[in-house]
Amino acid sequence: MCESINEATMLPLIPIVSDYRRRGIDFELIVPEDEWLRRLFINTNWAHHIQPNGYGPSTYRGGNVPALQFGVDETEDAGDILNRVMDLILRELDTNRGALKAIEWSLGEIMDNVSNHAESQVGGFVQATAFKNNNVVEFVVADAGIGIPESMGMTDHEHALRSSIDEGTTRDRSKNAGNGLYGSYRVSTLSGGRFAINSLHGELYYRPSDGSVQSHPRKVPYNGTSVLCGIHVGDPELLHKALRFKGQPHDPPYDYVERAFENREGELVFNMKERAQRDFASRQGGKRIRGMIENLLRDHPSVTFDFDGVAVISSSFADEVFGRLFVDMGPRAFMTRIQMRNVDPTVGGLIDRAIVQRTRLGNGDS
Ligand SMILES: Nc1ncnc2c1ncn2[C@@H]1O[C@H](COP(=O)(O)OP(=O)(O)O)[C@@H](O)[C@H]1O
Ligand SMILES: [Mg+2]
């Protein structure tokens, strides 16, 4: 009887189950009776990965990136997964470019570790969830590989996990810097979030109440590695505070915002058709896009909306994005910081009307 469950518990099971299947042992999933939980198992891809012949991949697009597999044939591209997680944070939470960089760096390092060290026959699995109530993103990366203690050649598993999060700890100095887990630990904990590792007979987690690192022996080994990060995404200083190696600040180049939005002139261009098509129909969609624009404007002087290929938007979407931004920012800031190009006359009319009406109402009413 399953009454409640979360990704921190479920995701680490997925690579283990997949590894059994690879060795010829199949699983049948009996989904929870509760309708909400049943849908959770399907939307998160847990059902799909546990019993692929019974459940197809999730098509749900809500506040999470479902469990996705990477690093072996015919699985997702690691870079695409990273982009999906960054897009999720930008849409759902209040954030800034520095925090986004710190999160992208951390997730990238933890996923790279699977490819570089784990020797997992089923690759790795990632899942991410955005929690609006406390402005936190949580992700878990898990594999069915040799485990951190084994990779580091250490027999004391608890000790191996503790040492893996120290600066400069690596199994191979000539190839690696040893900053991946150290940096991710710092990003998570300095943001006021969570951090935990399970690997073989070791278990390690950060205890926020006193800022200590706790570790325990596990009787039943976790046959692989699972890393959980919970990160508060609002602090503009997070990048500078957390990513320092040998005393030097680290600013990761070519970040998500640059890849996804910057053109050659360094302007931010928001392609409406590509990024907002699923949001045009509703007020809720408009809210998400406005949140995204507010995040981008936090670190950039202006954003250009490119409406190429967009023939119509709903008036509630136009109100939620342009009406409210206009009233929030005021006419002068709106006109200097928001540009629009390739606007179809119908769409232009809808935007104008939304701005006029919202100006009359003010942002208080809905
Ligand atoms: N998924 C994993 N599977 C096995 N070993 C791992 C995994 N992740 C990390 N490790 C071990 O922990 C060490 C520290 O990782 P990290 O801090 O990312 O440094 P680096 O990757 O530069 O060596 C690695 O050298 C490796 O021995
Ligand atoms: Mg690494």
Side-chain angles (χ1 to χ4, degrees), residues 109-110 112-113 116-117 176 178-181:
E109 288 285 330
I110 295 168
D112 277 351
N113 281 347
N116 294 338
H117 308 299
N176 303 306
N179 289 334
L181 292 177

